[in-house]
Structure formats: structure tokens, C-alpha cells
């Protein structure tokens, strides 16, 4: 039996069982083979190949510029590094909002060319036909509500969402609609904790929060933020587990000095 076949994979079914048992779901983003391998080895439940790659990998100020081809490149690399976690890939801006046929062909490209397990799409009632069409092909879909970064130009701000009752009502009805249509989970981004808890209680599918408080079924963070590689972004919801920016620049600094003063390579480091 290969090592791969001995590992019990996380499936969408496993995630719904976790919600039933009240076991929290851990999710982190990854965009490349090596990082995916580390976080999978550490035991993460879900690896999200987020379109936040546009920000943290490509240096763009929004998620809008990243293309379907670029998402496929990142996702195919991530999948090769993962043995256990469920791999979910963001459908990028412009690859599914036009019509449901386009959404389906984008999702099919992701599944065929990366071997990922599922796709994620931002929005509620506005994209429900696309969600239904992708699901009809047997592709699992994760929803994304609350702050939806692909719509940043509509809202003009990354501020907390669903503070007004009207927005809370829309969030609740969008979440119920995504569940009814067949999404296996929903990401809820940057909303008041009380609203996060309310939505989680209303739904039987897992809700994964980012800045949605502790009453949801799991948490997701962008790996560059939680490891402190990215220092410019510090919203209240972010817990930093490391200061890799300083660690890496310190190591690079020592390397530069060793090269400059001739102490690298030493005798044992040459042929
Ligand atoms: O693109 C991403 O990384 C995301 C998470 C922030 C949920 O969608």
C-alpha cells in the first residue's frame, strides 16, 4: 500500500461530520508546492488556493487582476504537495460572473488541470445560477459571503460588513440560498461576531470565518499574514504566529555578510 493511500483524506463529507460533532475546521491558504506540503504535514484540514495570491504572490493591490491560468498554475502546484487536506480553489474575478456556462467551463478547467477537490465563488443570489450549474457537473462549491474582495470597487472599502439590519437580512438569505442550492460550506468574511454565530446556527453546512468571530465552525487565514511574511496588513482579526519577515531578512543579511567577507563557502562546503 502506498503512503498516499494510507492517509485518510479530508472530504466535503468529513467537513460536514466535523460540524455535526462540533469539531472546528482549520483552513489556511497556500499558493505553491512547498508551503502546501508543510501545512498539510502539520495537519491543516483545508488548503485554500485563494485569489489572495494576486496580493501576496503577485503584489497587486486587489484580487481582481489574477487570471484563471494563473490560479490553475498555483493550484496544480499546491495539489502536488497535499496528501490529506481538502484543496479548494478560488474561481478568479471575471471567470464566472458573466454567465453560468462560463462559470462551468472555468470550474471544469480547474478540476481537470489541477486535480483540486472543489472551487470557491464569491456572492449570493447574484451568482446563484452559476453556482447551480457548477454543482450540476458534480463539482463541490464553497460559497463566500460578507466582505467579498472581488467586489471591492462596488463597495469602495474593506470595512466590516453586515452592520445594518438590511445587510444582515441579505446575508442570512444568501447563506440559506447557497446551502439550499448545494454548497458544501461557506466562507464568511469580516462581519460582526454575533452575525457570524447567527448564520452558523441557521445553517447545517460548515461556516468558515475570517474576521467573523468564534461562533462559526472553522477559521481561515492567509498564510503570509499569519506567518508575518506580509507586514503591511494588520486587521483586528489577524493573529500573527511568527515574524517571518524579520527571520528571513535576518538570515539573508547573515548570508550577504558571509559572502562578502569570504567565510562562505568554507572547506566543508566545497568539492
Ligand atoms: O483569497 C483568499 O485568500 C480568500 C480568503 C481570505 C478566505 O478568499
Amino acid at each position: 500500500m502506498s503512503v498516499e493511500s494510507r492517509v485518510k483524506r479530508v472530504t466535503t463529507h468529513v467537513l460536514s461530520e466535523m460540524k455535526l460533532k462540533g469539531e472546528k475546521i482549520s483552513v489556511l491558504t497556500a499558493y505553491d508546492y512547498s508551503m502546501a506540503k508543510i501545512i498539510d504535514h502539520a495537519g491543516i484540514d483545508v488548503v485554500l488556493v485563494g485569489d489572495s495570491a494576486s496580493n501576496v504572490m503577485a503584489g497587486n493591490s486587489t484580487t481582481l487582476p489574477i487570471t484563471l491560468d494563473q490560479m490553475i498554475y498555483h493550484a496544480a502546484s499546491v495539489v502536488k504537495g497535499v496528501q490529506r487536506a481538502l484543496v479548494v480553489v478560488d474561481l478568479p474575478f471575471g471567470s464566472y460572473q458573466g454567465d453560468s456556462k462560463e462559470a462551468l467551463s472555468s470550474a471544469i478547467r480547474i478540476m481537470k488541470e489541477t486535480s483540486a477537490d472543489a472551487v470557491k465563488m464569491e456572492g449570493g443570489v447574484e451568482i446563484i445560477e452559476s453556482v447551480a450549474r457548477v454543482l450540476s457537473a458534480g463539482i463541490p462549491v464553497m460559497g463566500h459571503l460578507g466582505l467579498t474582495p472581488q467586489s471591492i470597487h462596488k463597495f469602495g472599502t474593506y470595512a466590516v460588513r453586515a452592520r445594518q439590519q438590511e445587510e444582515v437580512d441579505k446575508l442570512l438569505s444568501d447563506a440559506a440560498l447557497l446551502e439550499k442550492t448545494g454548497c458544501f460550506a461557506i466562507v464568511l468574511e469580516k462581519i460582526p461576531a454575533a452575525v457570524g454565530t447567527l448564520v452558523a446556527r441557521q445553517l447545517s453546512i460548515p461556516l468558515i470565518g475570517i474576521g467573523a468571530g468564534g461562533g462559526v465552525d472553522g477559521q481561515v487565514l492567509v498564510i503570509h499574514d499569519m506567518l508575518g511574511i506580509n507586514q503591511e496588513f494588520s486587521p483586528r482579526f489577524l493573529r500573527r504566529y511568527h515574524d517571518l519577515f524579520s527571520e528571513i531578512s535576518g538570515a539573508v543579511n547573515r548570508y550577504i555578510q558571509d559572502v562578502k567577507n569570504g567565510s562562505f563557502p568554507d572547506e566543508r562546503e566545497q568539492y
Side-chain angles (χ1 to χ4, degrees):
M1 202 192 282
S2 71
V3 176
E4 234 170 82
S5 58
R6 280 202 304 269
V7 176
K8 188 175 183 295
R9 302 272 332 208
V10 178
T11 61
T12 56
H13 183 69
V14 168
L15 297 183
S16 53
E17 278 176 350
M18 287 171 81
K19 165 137 184 167
L20 275 179
K21 288 191 261 176
E23 193 184 325
K24 298 274 187 182
I25 299 165
S26 60
V27 186
L28 277 174
T29 65
Y31 318 100
D32 67 297
Y33 168 79
S34 302
M35 191 64 88
K37 196 165 178 169
I38 297 171
I39 67 175
D40 185 58
H41 175 81
I44 202 78
D45 297 312
V46 179
V47 177
L48 172 65
V49 187
D51 58 359
S52 48
S54 177
N55 307 94
V56 297
M57 300 300 287
N60 296 312
S61 59
T62 72
T63 58
L64 274 66
I66 199 159
T67 65
L68 184 57
D69 284 337
Q70 288 165 340
M71 288 304 296
I72 286 172
Y73 167 78
H74 287 296
S77 314
V78 164
V79 166
K80 287 182 213 139
V82 171
Q83 287 191 3
R84 175 185 169 271
L86 184 89
V87 180
V88 182
V89 184
D90 263 333
L91 280 184
F93 176 69
S95 72
Y96 63 99
Q97 294 93 343
D99 63 51
S100 62
K101 208 170 150 201
E102 184 191 25
L104 179 59
S105 69
S106 301
I108 286 177
R109 276 201 63 200
I110 287 186
M111 302 303 280
K112 265 187 182 296
E113 296 176 40
T114 75
S115 299
D117 302 303
V119 298
K120 176 162 82 60
M121 296 157 82
E122 292 184 9
V125 65
E126 312 79 14
I127 59 149
I128 208 65
E129 272 179 40
S130 294
V131 171
R133 187 87 180 251
V134 172
L135 284 163
S136 74
I139 300 172
V141 177
M142 177 182 259
H144 185 150
L145 298 171
L147 173 65
T148 46
Q150 291 179 9
S151 312
I152 183 59
H153 295 305
K154 176 173 166 194
F155 296 101
T157 159
Y158 287 102
V160 176
R161 299 292 196 266
R163 282 209 189 274
Q164 309 300 326
Q165 191 56 44
E166 202 183 324
E167 233 192 310
V168 175
D169 293 343
K170 173 159 168 45
L171 180 64
L172 285 166
S173 91
D174 279 343
L177 182 62
L178 289 175
E179 173 171 57
K180 190 168 146 238
T181 308
C183 286
F184 72 89
I186 299 174
V187 165
L188 281 183
E189 182 163 351
K190 220 169 174 188
I191 56 168
V195 178
T197 306
L198 190 66
V199 187
R201 287 203 184 130
Q202 183 190 274
L203 265 60
S204 53
I205 57 173
L207 290 191
I208 311 296
I210 173 162
V216 289
D217 308 301
Q219 300 292 329
V220 54
L221 284 177
V222 168
I223 188 98
H224 287 64
D225 299 337
M226 65 83 78
L227 290 179
I229 297 173
N230 177 15
Q231 291 198 317
E232 294 110 52
F233 185 64
S234 29
R236 191 209 284 213
F237 67 74
L238 175 62
R239 185 178 294 180
R240 275 197 216 290
Y241 287 83
H242 221 306
D243 179 10
L244 270 194
F245 186 97
S246 307
E247 293 269 334
I248 294 172
S249 60
V252 171
N253 208 265
R254 291 199 302 282
Y255 168 73
I256 294 169
Q257 281 168 19
D258 290 352
V259 171
K260 302 266 184 206
N261 66 27
S263 67
F264 175 77
D266 66 18
E267 273 163 24
R268 285 161 307 158
E269 291 161 332
Q270 46 194 302
Y271 301 100

